[in-house]
Amino acid sequence: MKILVCISKTPDTTSKIAFTDGNKKFDEAGVQWIINPYDEWYSLVRAIELKEKDASVTIHLVTVGGADCDPIIRKALALGGDEAIRVNADSTDSYFIAAQIADVAKKGGYDLIFTGKEAIDYNGSSIGGMVAELVDAPYISLATLFELNGTTATITREIEGGEEVAEVSLPVVVSCQKGVAEQRIPNMRGIMAARTKPLQVVEPVAADNLTSVVNFELPPAKAGVKLVDADNVAELVRLLHEEAKVI
Amino acid sequence: MSVLIFVDQTENHIKKASYEVLTYGAQVAKQMGTTAEALVLGTVNDDLASLGKYGITKVHQVANESLNHVDSQLYAKVIAEAVTASGANVLIFSHNQTGKAVAARVAARLKAGIVTGACALPDTSNGFVVRKTVFSGKAYANVSINSPVKIISLNPNSYQTVAGQGTAEVSALNVPLDASKVKVTAVNKVSGEVPLTEADVVVSGGRGLKGPENWGVLLDLAKELHAATACSRPVGDAHWRPHHEHVGQTGVQVAPNLYIALGISGAIQHLAGVNRSKVIVVINKDPEAPFFKAADYGIVGDLFEVVPKLTEEIRKMKASA
């Protein structure tokens, strides 16, 4: 059983969001980089749990990015990945990135490909679906539970106003969110072991960038809160009805 | 050349989010001097000709019951066929659960550039640039789509539905279907509640409610407003409320017209899940709660006193209306 876990490097959730270079680039000054929480907490940890149940499972990690991704990959290896592949390319286009991952996936012959439900920077929610299409596999998005019985996966996914449970034969691509697993902290043994685990750097395959970021903008600042006295709740109702027109 | 809008359905009825994308798509078509057409998969009980009210000239339907469940693999194939058959060069989805399952797949199949989480009409004055939310709503990116076929998936609740007059032509589309590789064994819908991501009003509770036994005040308010209920992460983690109610960076992201936060301090991760709300009301006894900085209206006070009064005042207002 071979599992491929897609890893993305994102700014920490508390990072100040600012832009430089005429609002064309994310301002990286002072930013802490982390593994995208959906990739780490849910998809990677679930893969590790499957490996803990069945020692024949191997977990490969893949990321698309420059050498600045290596500390993030090492952390993912410390948590429990066996090997990592970094495709040495920078892109903000989801098709280009998915094409790289699909190429790694095809060469590696994986039974299971995990992604997070989205990366917390570009919020694309696209890579899983694209990779699935490019490797011609079923895709289950927004998974909240993942169980494996031999070569059949039972997956619960979020749908509007509830959930759907489905069975699917491997190989399958799954995007994971809260519920699939719980966050873990790497231990010292894992951190030491990660130093010597293989991290292979490969050059990208040819693929088009179908989109490009023109610029970024910050939302206009809020006008400021209008405070209403706790003894005058009727005034809040009036404001919501007459001024904001939301009730 | 045309704009094709994917119409999402559940239990044989068109979803609310679909009317938003129909209105949006018709506007995109108008802007580009072309026609807006819709695509419906599966069997629906709604009158499809009436989609003309939203500016749609033609509705393509693949009325096959096996499409009543969303299998992204089948859907991608059928939708890609429909794009080719209708000669569409712009394809529009809602960025809801179905859109997240399907849109990117179709994009890869057609080698079409995609912008997900769009929040405004595309700028077609020079190329094709779509504004989307990034960094969980803390910023926008203007993204240029550079491929011949362009795909947009629109954030729910970010475009106002407008219905006018009109009748659309309904035409059956025959697409050969493969057998699904995904076997749906159960569908569990939370009945009687408003789905969180589709709600116009959301009432959300945090640790300030002190325990699950105190949720009555929140539920009363939500009922009066026909609101969906939500909670902060600590509340979900403590199992005071089901975890599908957790709103925030790593939970559900909502964009209602009105978000009422009770006893939630407003950590940056929580704000990331609610900052696309049109109006935010915060009720908290701590005047220093960071949520007040992101709020439009606020009351500093004990929620156990304020909220029942609020529910009562809303009831009075509705009675007099």
Side-chain angles (χ1 to χ4, degrees), chain A residues 96-129:
Chain A
F96 178 91
I97 294 167
Q100 306 310 321
I101 295 172
D103 183 65
V104 169
K106 281 180 194 160
K107 285 175 182 154
Y110 297 94
D111 304 288
L112 195 51
I113 301 174
F114 276 145
T115 71
K117 80 158 183 178
E118 64 176 25
I120 62 167
D121 48 7
Y122 286 94
N123 308 127
S125 246
S126 298
I127 300 299

PDB file of all heavy atoms in Angstrom, chain A residues 96-129:
ATOM      1  N   PHE A  96      -0.864  23.961 -13.227  1.00  0.00           N
ATOM      2  CA  PHE A  96       0.568  23.652 -13.316  1.00  0.00           C
ATOM      3  C   PHE A  96       0.993  22.773 -12.144  1.00  0.00           C
ATOM      4  O   PHE A  96       1.682  21.767 -12.315  1.00  0.00           O
ATOM      5  CB  PHE A  96       1.394  24.953 -13.339  1.00  0.00           C
ATOM      6  CG  PHE A  96       2.883  24.715 -13.379  1.00  0.00           C
ATOM      7  CD1 PHE A  96       3.555  24.622 -14.592  1.00  0.00           C
ATOM      8  CD2 PHE A  96       3.619  24.569 -12.198  1.00  0.00           C
ATOM      9  CE1 PHE A  96       4.930  24.381 -14.644  1.00  0.00           C
ATOM     10  CE2 PHE A  96       4.986  24.330 -12.238  1.00  0.00           C
ATOM     11  CZ  PHE A  96       5.649  24.241 -13.459  1.00  0.00           C
ATOM     12  N   ILE A  97       0.553  23.137 -10.952  1.00  0.00           N
ATOM     13  CA  ILE A  97       0.935  22.387  -9.743  1.00  0.00           C
ATOM     14  C   ILE A  97       0.356  20.971  -9.790  1.00  0.00           C
ATOM     15  O   ILE A  97       1.040  19.981  -9.524  1.00  0.00           O
ATOM     16  CB  ILE A  97       0.470  23.139  -8.475  1.00  0.00           C
ATOM     17  CG1 ILE A  97       1.235  24.464  -8.354  1.00  0.00           C
ATOM     18  CG2 ILE A  97       0.676  22.298  -7.221  1.00  0.00           C
ATOM     19  CD1 ILE A  97       0.663  25.437  -7.345  1.00  0.00           C
ATOM     20  N   ALA A  98      -0.927  20.886 -10.175  1.00  0.00           N
ATOM     21  CA  ALA A  98      -1.577  19.568 -10.245  1.00  0.00           C
ATOM     22  C   ALA A  98      -0.892  18.674 -11.276  1.00  0.00           C
ATOM     23  O   ALA A  98      -0.743  17.467 -11.059  1.00  0.00           O
ATOM     24  CB  ALA A  98      -3.059  19.737 -10.578  1.00  0.00           C
ATOM     25  N   ALA A  99      -0.459  19.277 -12.383  1.00  0.00           N
ATOM     26  CA  ALA A  99       0.219  18.486 -13.425  1.00  0.00           C
ATOM     27  C   ALA A  99       1.519  17.891 -12.879  1.00  0.00           C
ATOM     28  O   ALA A  99       1.876  16.746 -13.195  1.00  0.00           O
ATOM     29  CB  ALA A  99       0.490  19.361 -14.647  1.00  0.00           C
ATOM     30  N   GLN A 100       2.213  18.649 -12.018  1.00  0.00           N
ATOM     31  CA  GLN A 100       3.459  18.139 -11.420  1.00  0.00           C
ATOM     32  C   GLN A 100       3.158  16.971 -10.474  1.00  0.00           C
ATOM     33  O   GLN A 100       3.827  15.939 -10.491  1.00  0.00           O
ATOM     34  CB  GLN A 100       4.190  19.249 -10.639  1.00  0.00           C
ATOM     35  CG  GLN A 100       4.478  20.514 -11.432  1.00  0.00           C
ATOM     36  CD  GLN A 100       5.142  20.236 -12.762  1.00  0.00           C
ATOM     37  OE1 GLN A 100       6.010  19.353 -12.876  1.00  0.00           O
ATOM     38  NE2 GLN A 100       4.742  20.955 -13.805  1.00  0.00           N
ATOM     39  N   ILE A 101       2.146  17.162  -9.653  1.00  0.00           N
ATOM     40  CA  ILE A 101       1.794  16.116  -8.679  1.00  0.00           C
ATOM     41  C   ILE A 101       1.286  14.873  -9.407  1.00  0.00           C
ATOM     42  O   ILE A 101       1.630  13.740  -9.051  1.00  0.00           O
ATOM     43  CB  ILE A 101       0.747  16.647  -7.668  1.00  0.00           C
ATOM     44  CG1 ILE A 101       1.379  17.764  -6.828  1.00  0.00           C
ATOM     45  CG2 ILE A 101       0.224  15.525  -6.766  1.00  0.00           C
ATOM     46  CD1 ILE A 101       0.410  18.501  -5.929  1.00  0.00           C
ATOM     47  N   ALA A 102       0.491  15.088 -10.464  1.00  0.00           N
ATOM     48  CA  ALA A 102      -0.036  13.953 -11.234  1.00  0.00           C
ATOM     49  C   ALA A 102       1.105  13.158 -11.855  1.00  0.00           C
ATOM     50  O   ALA A 102       1.062  11.921 -11.917  1.00  0.00           O
ATOM     51  CB  ALA A 102      -1.000  14.449 -12.306  1.00  0.00           C
ATOM     52  N   ASP A 103       2.142  13.864 -12.296  1.00  0.00           N
ATOM     53  CA  ASP A 103       3.286  13.173 -12.889  1.00  0.00           C
ATOM     54  C   ASP A 103       4.001  12.306 -11.842  1.00  0.00           C
ATOM     55  O   ASP A 103       4.325  11.146 -12.096  1.00  0.00           O
ATOM     56  CB  ASP A 103       4.245  14.210 -13.488  1.00  0.00           C
ATOM     57  CG  ASP A 103       5.421  13.542 -14.182  1.00  0.00           C
ATOM     58  OD1 ASP A 103       5.174  12.851 -15.195  1.00  0.00           O
ATOM     59  OD2 ASP A 103       6.560  13.667 -13.693  1.00  0.00           O
ATOM     60  N   VAL A 104       4.198  12.876 -10.661  1.00  0.00           N
ATOM     61  CA  VAL A 104       4.800  12.110  -9.563  1.00  0.00           C
ATOM     62  C   VAL A 104       3.901  10.917  -9.217  1.00  0.00           C
ATOM     63  O   VAL A 104       4.373   9.789  -9.004  1.00  0.00           O
ATOM     64  CB  VAL A 104       5.001  13.020  -8.317  1.00  0.00           C
ATOM     65  CG1 VAL A 104       5.364  12.200  -7.081  1.00  0.00           C
ATOM     66  CG2 VAL A 104       6.075  14.074  -8.604  1.00  0.00           C
ATOM     67  N   ALA A 105       2.596  11.160  -9.192  1.00  0.00           N
ATOM     68  CA  ALA A 105       1.635  10.111  -8.825  1.00  0.00           C
ATOM     69  C   ALA A 105       1.665   8.964  -9.826  1.00  0.00           C
ATOM     70  O   ALA A 105       1.655   7.795  -9.443  1.00  0.00           O
ATOM     71  CB  ALA A 105       0.230  10.705  -8.730  1.00  0.00           C
ATOM     72  N   LYS A 106       1.703   9.303 -11.110  1.00  0.00           N
ATOM     73  CA  LYS A 106       1.715   8.260 -12.146  1.00  0.00           C
ATOM     74  C   LYS A 106       2.980   7.425 -12.053  1.00  0.00           C
ATOM     75  O   LYS A 106       2.937   6.201 -12.149  1.00  0.00           O
ATOM     76  CB  LYS A 106       1.627   8.903 -13.534  1.00  0.00           C
ATOM     77  CG  LYS A 106       0.220   9.325 -13.917  1.00  0.00           C
ATOM     78  CD  LYS A 106       0.233   9.944 -15.314  1.00  0.00           C
ATOM     79  CE  LYS A 106      -1.075  10.670 -15.585  1.00  0.00           C
ATOM     80  NZ  LYS A 106      -0.931  11.649 -16.667  1.00  0.00           N
ATOM     81  N   LYS A 107       4.114   8.090 -11.850  1.00  0.00           N
ATOM     82  CA  LYS A 107       5.387   7.353 -11.787  1.00  0.00           C
ATOM     83  C   LYS A 107       5.450   6.466 -10.547  1.00  0.00           C
ATOM     84  O   LYS A 107       6.031   5.393 -10.571  1.00  0.00           O
ATOM     85  CB  LYS A 107       6.566   8.337 -11.791  1.00  0.00           C
ATOM     86  CG  LYS A 107       6.804   8.943 -13.167  1.00  0.00           C
ATOM     87  CD  LYS A 107       7.897  10.000 -13.130  1.00  0.00           C
ATOM     88  CE  LYS A 107       8.081  10.627 -14.502  1.00  0.00           C
ATOM     89  NZ  LYS A 107       8.624  11.995 -14.411  1.00  0.00           N
ATOM     90  N   GLY A 108       4.838   6.934  -9.441  1.00  0.00           N
ATOM     91  CA  GLY A 108       4.943   6.191  -8.187  1.00  0.00           C
ATOM     92  C   GLY A 108       3.901   5.095  -8.024  1.00  0.00           C
ATOM     93  O   GLY A 108       4.069   4.205  -7.194  1.00  0.00           O
ATOM     94  N   GLY A 109       2.825   5.134  -8.791  1.00  0.00           N
ATOM     95  CA  GLY A 109       1.782   4.112  -8.688  1.00  0.00           C
ATOM     96  C   GLY A 109       1.175   4.021  -7.292  1.00  0.00           C
ATOM     97  O   GLY A 109       1.288   3.000  -6.618  1.00  0.00           O
ATOM     98  N   TYR A 110       0.512   5.092  -6.860  1.00  0.00           N
ATOM     99  CA  TYR A 110      -0.024   5.131  -5.494  1.00  0.00           C
ATOM    100  C   TYR A 110      -1.447   4.578  -5.431  1.00  0.00           C
ATOM    101  O   TYR A 110      -2.216   4.707  -6.376  1.00  0.00           O
ATOM    102  CB  TYR A 110       0.019   6.565  -4.959  1.00  0.00           C
ATOM    103  CG  TYR A 110       1.431   7.075  -4.850  1.00  0.00           C
ATOM    104  CD1 TYR A 110       1.998   7.808  -5.891  1.00  0.00           C
ATOM    105  CD2 TYR A 110       2.226   6.768  -3.745  1.00  0.00           C
ATOM    106  CE1 TYR A 110       3.314   8.240  -5.817  1.00  0.00           C
ATOM    107  CE2 TYR A 110       3.537   7.201  -3.661  1.00  0.00           C
ATOM    108  CZ  TYR A 110       4.078   7.936  -4.701  1.00  0.00           C
ATOM    109  OH  TYR A 110       5.382   8.358  -4.629  1.00  0.00           O
ATOM    110  N   ASP A 111      -1.783   3.984  -4.291  1.00  0.00           N
ATOM    111  CA  ASP A 111      -3.136   3.471  -4.074  1.00  0.00           C
ATOM    112  C   ASP A 111      -4.065   4.566  -3.562  1.00  0.00           C
ATOM    113  O   ASP A 111      -5.273   4.502  -3.731  1.00  0.00           O
ATOM    114  CB  ASP A 111      -3.099   2.342  -3.031  1.00  0.00           C
ATOM    115  CG  ASP A 111      -2.142   1.252  -3.441  1.00  0.00           C
ATOM    116  OD1 ASP A 111      -2.468   0.520  -4.389  1.00  0.00           O
ATOM    117  OD2 ASP A 111      -1.045   1.155  -2.841  1.00  0.00           O
ATOM    118  N   LEU A 112      -3.453   5.537  -2.920  1.00  0.00           N
ATOM    119  CA  LEU A 112      -4.230   6.539  -2.210  1.00  0.00           C
ATOM    120  C   LEU A 112      -3.483   7.866  -2.313  1.00  0.00           C
ATOM    121  O   LEU A 112      -2.270   7.921  -2.067  1.00  0.00           O
ATOM    122  CB  LEU A 112      -4.309   6.078  -0.750  1.00  0.00           C
ATOM    123  CG  LEU A 112      -5.302   6.675   0.205  1.00  0.00           C
ATOM    124  CD1 LEU A 112      -6.704   6.649  -0.368  1.00  0.00           C
ATOM    125  CD2 LEU A 112      -5.260   5.865   1.500  1.00  0.00           C
ATOM    126  N   ILE A 113      -4.184   8.915  -2.699  1.00  0.00           N
ATOM    127  CA  ILE A 113      -3.575  10.247  -2.728  1.00  0.00           C
ATOM    128  C   ILE A 113      -4.413  11.150  -1.836  1.00  0.00           C
ATOM    129  O   ILE A 113      -5.619  11.288  -2.031  1.00  0.00           O
ATOM    130  CB  ILE A 113      -3.512  10.811  -4.168  1.00  0.00           C
ATOM    131  CG1 ILE A 113      -2.689   9.872  -5.062  1.00  0.00           C
ATOM    132  CG2 ILE A 113      -2.924  12.219  -4.162  1.00  0.00           C
ATOM    133  CD1 ILE A 113      -2.694  10.260  -6.541  1.00  0.00           C
ATOM    134  N   PHE A 114      -3.751  11.739  -0.844  1.00  0.00           N
ATOM    135  CA  PHE A 114      -4.423  12.642   0.088  1.00  0.00           C
ATOM    136  C   PHE A 114      -4.018  14.090  -0.187  1.00  0.00           C
ATOM    137  O   PHE A 114      -2.834  14.367  -0.377  1.00  0.00           O
ATOM    138  CB  PHE A 114      -4.002  12.338   1.533  1.00  0.00           C
ATOM    139  CG  PHE A 114      -4.761  11.216   2.204  1.00  0.00           C
ATOM    140  CD1 PHE A 114      -4.105  10.384   3.101  1.00  0.00           C
ATOM    141  CD2 PHE A 114      -6.112  11.021   1.983  1.00  0.00           C
ATOM    142  CE1 PHE A 114      -4.779   9.358   3.760  1.00  0.00           C
ATOM    143  CE2 PHE A 114      -6.806  10.008   2.636  1.00  0.00           C
ATOM    144  CZ  PHE A 114      -6.134   9.178   3.526  1.00  0.00           C
ATOM    145  N   THR A 115      -4.991  14.991  -0.168  1.00  0.00           N
ATOM    146  CA  THR A 115      -4.673  16.420  -0.122  1.00  0.00           C
ATOM    147  C   THR A 115      -5.468  17.017   1.034  1.00  0.00           C
ATOM    148  O   THR A 115      -6.389  16.398   1.546  1.00  0.00           O
ATOM    149  CB  THR A 115      -5.106  17.157  -1.423  1.00  0.00           C
ATOM    150  OG1 THR A 115      -6.533  17.230  -1.448  1.00  0.00           O
ATOM    151  CG2 THR A 115      -4.620  16.438  -2.668  1.00  0.00           C
ATOM    152  N   GLY A 116      -5.128  18.250   1.407  1.00  0.00           N
ATOM    153  CA  GLY A 116      -5.978  18.989   2.335  1.00  0.00           C
ATOM    154  C   GLY A 116      -7.148  19.559   1.549  1.00  0.00           C
ATOM    155  O   GLY A 116      -7.117  19.610   0.321  1.00  0.00           O
ATOM    156  N   LYS A 117      -8.195  20.016   2.246  1.00  0.00           N
ATOM    157  CA  LYS A 117      -9.365  20.493   1.492  1.00  0.00           C
ATOM    158  C   LYS A 117      -9.059  21.781   0.744  1.00  0.00           C
ATOM    159  O   LYS A 117      -9.690  22.094  -0.243  1.00  0.00           O
ATOM    160  CB  LYS A 117     -10.589  20.651   2.390  1.00  0.00           C
ATOM    161  CG  LYS A 117     -10.622  21.917   3.215  1.00  0.00           C
ATOM    162  CD  LYS A 117     -12.054  22.260   3.626  1.00  0.00           C
ATOM    163  CE  LYS A 117     -12.057  23.570   4.390  1.00  0.00           C
ATOM    164  NZ  LYS A 117     -13.381  23.999   4.784  1.00  0.00           N
ATOM    165  N   GLU A 118      -8.098  22.548   1.231  1.00  0.00           N
ATOM    166  CA  GLU A 118      -7.621  23.727   0.517  1.00  0.00           C
ATOM    167  C   GLU A 118      -6.347  24.186   1.198  1.00  0.00           C
ATOM    168  O   GLU A 118      -6.056  23.767   2.312  1.00  0.00           O
ATOM    169  CB  GLU A 118      -8.652  24.862   0.538  1.00  0.00           C
ATOM    170  CG  GLU A 118      -8.931  25.401   1.935  1.00  0.00           C
ATOM    171  CD  GLU A 118      -9.890  26.594   1.960  1.00  0.00           C
ATOM    172  OE1 GLU A 118     -10.699  26.730   1.039  1.00  0.00           O
ATOM    173  OE2 GLU A 118      -9.796  27.377   2.910  1.00  0.00           O
ATOM    174  N   ALA A 119      -5.570  25.029   0.504  1.00  0.00           N
ATOM    175  CA  ALA A 119      -4.443  25.667   1.165  1.00  0.00           C
ATOM    176  C   ALA A 119      -4.959  26.973   1.740  1.00  0.00           C
ATOM    177  O   ALA A 119      -5.801  27.631   1.131  1.00  0.00           O
ATOM    178  CB  ALA A 119      -3.322  25.922   0.171  1.00  0.00           C
ATOM    179  N   ILE A 120      -4.468  27.335   2.930  1.00  0.00           N
ATOM    180  CA  ILE A 120      -5.049  28.499   3.604  1.00  0.00           C
ATOM    181  C   ILE A 120      -4.553  29.815   3.030  1.00  0.00           C
ATOM    182  O   ILE A 120      -4.969  30.869   3.468  1.00  0.00           O
ATOM    183  CB  ILE A 120      -4.826  28.458   5.133  1.00  0.00           C
ATOM    184  CG1 ILE A 120      -3.336  28.485   5.468  1.00  0.00           C
ATOM    185  CG2 ILE A 120      -5.506  27.244   5.746  1.00  0.00           C
ATOM    186  CD1 ILE A 120      -3.076  28.773   6.937  1.00  0.00           C
ATOM    187  N   ASP A 121      -3.647  29.786   2.028  1.00  0.00           N
ATOM    188  CA  ASP A 121      -3.242  31.058   1.410  1.00  0.00           C
ATOM    189  C   ASP A 121      -4.090  31.385   0.179  1.00  0.00           C
ATOM    190  O   ASP A 121      -4.819  32.349   0.154  1.00  0.00           O
ATOM    191  CB  ASP A 121      -1.739  31.093   1.101  1.00  0.00           C
ATOM    192  CG  ASP A 121      -1.231  29.852   0.387  1.00  0.00           C
ATOM    193  OD1 ASP A 121      -2.044  29.001  -0.003  1.00  0.00           O
ATOM    194  OD2 ASP A 121       0.007  29.742   0.207  1.00  0.00           O
ATOM    195  N   TYR A 122      -4.054  30.503  -0.843  1.00  0.00           N
ATOM    196  CA  TYR A 122      -4.819  30.820  -2.055  1.00  0.00           C
ATOM    197  C   TYR A 122      -6.244  30.285  -2.024  1.00  0.00           C
ATOM    198  O   TYR A 122      -7.051  30.624  -2.885  1.00  0.00           O
ATOM    199  CB  TYR A 122      -4.069  30.345  -3.301  1.00  0.00           C
ATOM    200  CG  TYR A 122      -2.894  31.232  -3.593  1.00  0.00           C
ATOM    201  CD1 TYR A 122      -1.624  30.924  -3.131  1.00  0.00           C
ATOM    202  CD2 TYR A 122      -3.078  32.432  -4.285  1.00  0.00           C
ATOM    203  CE1 TYR A 122      -0.559  31.768  -3.355  1.00  0.00           C
ATOM    204  CE2 TYR A 122      -2.022  33.286  -4.515  1.00  0.00           C
ATOM    205  CZ  TYR A 122      -0.762  32.947  -4.050  1.00  0.00           C
ATOM    206  OH  TYR A 122       0.278  33.800  -4.268  1.00  0.00           O
ATOM    207  N   ASN A 123      -6.569  29.440  -1.052  1.00  0.00           N
ATOM    208  CA  ASN A 123      -7.940  28.924  -0.898  1.00  0.00           C
ATOM    209  C   ASN A 123      -8.509  28.390  -2.226  1.00  0.00           C
ATOM    210  O   ASN A 123      -9.651  28.647  -2.569  1.00  0.00           O
ATOM    211  CB  ASN A 123      -8.890  30.013  -0.361  1.00  0.00           C
ATOM    212  CG  ASN A 123      -8.375  30.692   0.885  1.00  0.00           C
ATOM    213  OD1 ASN A 123      -8.287  31.898   0.958  1.00  0.00           O
ATOM    214  ND2 ASN A 123      -7.998  29.905   1.883  1.00  0.00           N
ATOM    215  N   GLY A 124      -7.688  27.632  -2.939  1.00  0.00           N
ATOM    216  CA  GLY A 124      -8.117  27.180  -4.261  1.00  0.00           C
ATOM    217  C   GLY A 124      -9.046  25.986  -4.215  1.00  0.00           C
ATOM    218  O   GLY A 124      -9.988  25.893  -4.990  1.00  0.00           O
ATOM    219  N   SER A 125      -8.794  25.043  -3.316  1.00  0.00           N
ATOM    220  CA  SER A 125      -9.607  23.811  -3.254  1.00  0.00           C
ATOM    221  C   SER A 125      -9.606  23.091  -4.603  1.00  0.00           C
ATOM    222  O   SER A 125     -10.612  22.530  -5.003  1.00  0.00           O
ATOM    223  CB  SER A 125     -11.069  24.161  -2.912  1.00  0.00           C
ATOM    224  OG  SER A 125     -11.393  23.640  -1.660  1.00  0.00           O
ATOM    225  N   SER A 126      -8.510  23.153  -5.316  1.00  0.00           N
ATOM    226  CA  SER A 126      -8.506  22.666  -6.695  1.00  0.00           C
ATOM    227  C   SER A 126      -7.593  21.480  -6.953  1.00  0.00           C
ATOM    228  O   SER A 126      -7.822  20.709  -7.882  1.00  0.00           O
ATOM    229  CB  SER A 126      -8.062  23.794  -7.642  1.00  0.00           C
ATOM    230  OG  SER A 126      -8.958  24.864  -7.591  1.00  0.00           O
ATOM    231  N   ILE A 127      -6.512  21.366  -6.173  1.00  0.00           N
ATOM    232  CA  ILE A 127      -5.460  20.413  -6.537  1.00  0.00           C
ATOM    233  C   ILE A 127      -5.980  18.972  -6.543  1.00  0.00           C
ATOM    234  O   ILE A 127      -5.707  18.215  -7.472  1.00  0.00           O
ATOM    235  CB  ILE A 127      -4.243  20.557  -5.585  1.00  0.00           C
ATOM    236  CG1 ILE A 127      -3.664  21.974  -5.681  1.00  0.00           C
ATOM    237  CG2 ILE A 127      -3.180  19.506  -5.889  1.00  0.00           C
ATOM    238  CD1 ILE A 127      -3.159  22.372  -7.048  1.00  0.00           C
ATOM    239  N   GLY A 128      -6.731  18.587  -5.531  1.00  0.00           N
ATOM    240  CA  GLY A 128      -7.213  17.205  -5.452  1.00  0.00           C
ATOM    241  C   GLY A 128      -8.020  16.803  -6.672  1.00  0.00           C
ATOM    242  O   GLY A 128      -7.764  15.771  -7.300  1.00  0.00           O
ATOM    243  N   GLY A 129      -8.992  17.620  -7.024  1.00  0.00           N
ATOM    244  CA  GLY A 129      -9.842  17.330  -8.168  1.00  0.00           C
ATOM    245  C   GLY A 129      -9.048  17.267  -9.462  1.00  0.00           C
ATOM    246  O   GLY A 129      -9.263  16.387 -10.305  1.00  0.00           O
TER     247      GLY A 129
END
